Amino acid sequence: MSEPTIDAFLGRTLGPYRIESLVGQGNRASVYRASSDGQEVAIRVFDRDLSADPDFAERFRAQGTALAGVRHPHLLANSRYAQAGGHAYIVRPYVDGRTLRDLLGAPLPVDEALQLLRPVAAALDFVHGRGLAHGDVKPGNILLPPGDGATLLADLGVAQLLPRGNSLLKAATGRYYGTPEYLSPEQVHGLPLDGRTDSYALAVILYEALVGRPPFRAEGTADTPRTVAARHSTAPPPKPGALNPALGPGVEAALLRGLDKDPERRFASCAALLDALDGARDRTLPVVGMSVARPVAMPRTAPLEPVVTPDTPPAVPVQDAEPAPAEDLAVRHARELQALTETYEARLAGNVEALRDRDATIETLTDELTVARARSVRLAAQVAELELLLRDQEILAARVRELKMALAQAQRDAEGGQAAPSEGPPAARIVIVEPERCGLPPEAGFAVPPGDSVGRHPESTIYINDHFVSARHAQLAWGPSGWLLTDLGTTNGTYVNGQRISGSVSIASGDILRFGRVQASFI
């Protein structure tokens, strides 16, 4: 793929926007800070190959229409979907500040994590209530504006624009989409997205905020995006309490339920996930020396009502009025986790076998395609060779006719000395093929007297009204050796049996003539 370097965009204009600086870069798009009429914006520019894909273009158009009216106080809405210079791009307001990524790396107190992410949960539940999903919830898409601004969620719908499919297979080819640390199990397998996918990603972020690291990440140089993504569907997450002993069993249980690999067993809404953590924090041990204070105290945003559908079970509080002992919770969770692990291992084994069969099929089809391509190349060479032979055959046939006529004349001269005076040329006609293109009636034909002129000039004996025919295109004459056709130096050429002529050539009944693009039969 031939793509401009990152610096090649800087200082250029894209539509009405002047690119100022690079903000971030992904697998198939880059985000720039730009300006137009004194207003700063952020522009996500997709690469040229993806922008030219018809399926992407259709999704891009449909999404611009679907998201036009989606507005929420904590959602950074896109303001424009457009194309320029062969690149599709999305415009949104530019927010100068940090992202949640800048605060992560060490455990945060539960109160602070809830204050930071409750606005995000409200925005997600709002989106889910309209039948939409974000699909790429991650710390880099959660913006922390300076001053008293509330947390904002960015890049709604961008994930749905990218090519769909199994993330493990895409990661194997280096063309994975999304951030492996925050993919849900259903995203890993390329299944349709809904609100439960976003709820899982939000649980991953909460886990990282309270523990100091995401549940699944690259642990060494041997780990690839594919292996990290696969763990979301096959491996149990490390227990949060083992990594941060300050977390109580209620918080741990809520996080693990949010990370359940079965979407049906997660919380019914993002607000329900945060409410469960909020209710469990009273039994969380105090955090000593782990607070990472945010410079702005975040207001608590009232959660939206959970989005409940007939197929969605109601949210179940993590703790009852009389909380179960921590040991019982741990034993129950271990038993459930073991059963789920066995189920996913069996499913994974079946998937591995299916993938192995698919790989073998792909290899067989690739071999067959290689053979077919080689055969196609050979056939194309044979067709080209036959076309040359046919052209040579036509030239030779015309030459044979000329020689026969010359031989006949020589025999007459040898037998009688001087040839008898000619009584005149035999009757001949030119019949135009597709006469309606030239404004002529069907089966239009012209008698051919000696000295006939062919052309677009009104005084031409054979008048052909076509822009590809010159005013004085050709001339027909009768000579000692028979009929002669002469090209009068035209731009679009005169042809006999497919061969362009230069000067005069002999023609006979049955020859196919062409003046420019107008074809005729000589009879």
Side-chain angles (χ1 to χ4, degrees):
M1 177 179 68
S2 176
E3 277 295 307
T5 61
I6 295 302
D7 291 341
F9 276 107
L10 301 182
R12 288 174 48 189
T13 57
L14 196 64
Y17 305 98
R18 178 177 175 81
I19 305 296
E20 304 289 350
S21 62
L22 176 68
V23 177
Q25 187 177 16
N27 189 263
R28 302 302 301 269
S30 299
V31 180
Y32 298 91
R33 180 174 62 84
S35 61
S36 176
D37 297 330
Q39 179 186 10
E40 281 194 323
V41 297
I43 298 184
R44 177 179 295 272
V45 183
F46 294 92
D47 70 41
R48 190 182 300 274
D49 287 351
L50 186 60
S51 300
D53 179 26
D55 291 337
F56 171 85
E58 176 59 26
R59 292 195 299 271
F60 189 80
R61 182 200 61 76
Q63 188 184 100
T65 302
L67 300 185
V70 180
R71 297 291 184 270
H72 186 274
H74 302 300
L75 187 65
L76 192 61
N78 299 321
S79 59
R80 184 175 184 182
Y81 288 73
Q83 284 206 3
H87 292 271
Y89 65 92
I90 300 174
V91 181
R92 64 167 171 78
Y94 178 75
V95 177
D96 187 13
R98 297 183 296 171
T99 69
L100 182 61
R101 168 57 54 208
D102 299 319
L103 294 186
L104 301 181
L108 298 177
V110 176
D111 284 350
E112 185 172 352
L114 293 178
Q115 284 184 339
L116 287 169
L117 292 171
R118 197 173 286 279
V120 176
L124 287 172
D125 284 341
F126 172 82
V127 169
H128 301 159
R130 280 147 184 79
L132 303 171
H134 188 288
D136 193 24
V137 179
K138 59 185 179 182
N141 284 338
I142 298 174
L143 309 184
L144 309 177
D148 296 330
T151 309
L152 295 171
L153 177 64
D155 290 346
L156 172 65
V158 172
Q160 284 84 343
L161 288 175
L162 299 176
R164 301 175 177 85
N166 188 301
S167 294
L168 296 180
L169 297 179
K170 291 183 180 297
T173 63
R175 301 293 273 179
Y176 56 90
Y177 308 103
T179 306
E181 289 81 2
Y182 306 95
L183 291 177
S184 68
E186 51 269 32
Q187 280 178 295
V188 171
H189 292 293
L191 300 176
L193 307 185
D194 58 23
R196 296 170 297 183
T197 291
D198 294 337
S199 174
Y200 181 93
L202 185 61
V204 173
I205 295 173
L206 283 162
Y207 183 107
E208 183 175 4
L210 299 178
V211 170
R213 51 151 289 179
F216 305 109
R217 65 180 182 181
E219 303 293 349
T221 56
D223 279 345
T224 64
R226 183 182 187 184
T227 58
V228 174
R231 289 178 188 141
H232 284 282
S233 64
T234 59
K239 289 187 177 181
L243 299 174
N244 181 6
L247 299 177
V251 171
E252 179 174 283
L255 288 175
L256 292 176
R257 178 179 172 183
L259 294 174
D260 201 300
K261 300 187 188 306
D262 184 355
E264 298 292 339
R265 300 179 60 171
R266 298 174 199 153
F267 292 97
S269 67
C270 295
L273 167 61
L274 269 72
D275 287 344
L277 287 168
D278 197 6
R281 62 179 175 154
D282 294 336
R283 289 184 287 148
T284 302
L285 299 178
V287 179
V288 180
M290 289 188 178
S291 176
V292 180
R294 187 181 179 216
V296 180
M298 296 300 301
R300 176 166 173 164
T301 304
L304 297 178
E305 289 297 320
V307 179
V308 180
T309 67
D311 298 327
T312 305
V316 180
V318 175
Q319 51 271 64
D320 304 316
E322 293 296 332
E327 183 177 355
D328 291 347
L329 285 174
V331 170
R332 186 180 67 185
H333 177 69
R335 185 170 58 252
E336 293 175 351
L337 190 59
Q338 178 63 29
L340 184 61
T341 300
E342 292 174 356
T343 300
Y344 267 88
E345 285 177 349
R347 188 180 302 175
L348 180 63
N351 288 341
V352 168
E353 188 63 30
L355 288 174
R356 185 180 295 112
D357 293 341
R358 185 179 300 176
D359 289 343
T361 301
I362 291 174
E363 185 176 354
T364 300
L365 292 175
T366 301
D367 293 341
E368 292 177 357
L369 180 61
T370 301
V371 173
R373 283 176 174 169
R375 184 170 179 269
S376 176
V377 170
R378 291 195 302 270
L379 290 175
Q382 292 175 3
V383 169
E385 185 178 353
L386 287 173
E387 289 177 346
L388 289 173
L389 291 174
L390 287 173
R391 191 158 55 247
D392 292 344
Q393 184 181 20
E394 291 172 354
I395 295 172
L396 290 173
R399 182 58 178 161
V400 166
R401 287 195 300 271
E402 292 178 6
L403 292 174
K404 285 182 177 179
M405 294 174 68
L407 179 60
Q409 183 62 39
Q411 287 176 345
R412 286 194 297 270
D413 292 345
E415 292 173 357
Q418 195 72 341
S422 174
E423 297 179 357
R429 285 175 58 81
I430 285 182
V431 178
I432 305 296
V433 179
E434 296 183 326
E436 60 274 6
R437 292 178 53 182
C438 310
L440 296 172
E443 299 182 2
F446 300 91
V448 183
D452 250 8
S453 61
V454 180
R456 193 160 41 89
H457 193 280
E459 296 181 0
S460 298
T461 310
I462 300 176
Y463 174 64
I464 302 177
N465 185 18
D466 187 90
H467 291 296
F468 285 80
V469 176
S470 299
R472 301 191 185 279
H473 198 101
Q475 188 171 30
L476 284 154
W478 174 259
S481 59
W483 287 105
L484 293 176
L485 177 64
T486 303
D487 180 79
L488 300 179
T490 61
T491 300
N492 296 314
T494 303
Y495 296 78
V496 176
N497 297 321
Q499 183 71 26
R500 184 167 182 168
I501 67 173
S502 176
S504 300
V505 298
S506 296
I507 59 173
S509 178
D511 284 343
I512 303 299
L513 313 181
R514 181 156 62 87
F515 309 103
R517 66 176 182 179
V518 178
Q519 188 166 303
S521 298
F522 185 72
I523 302 175

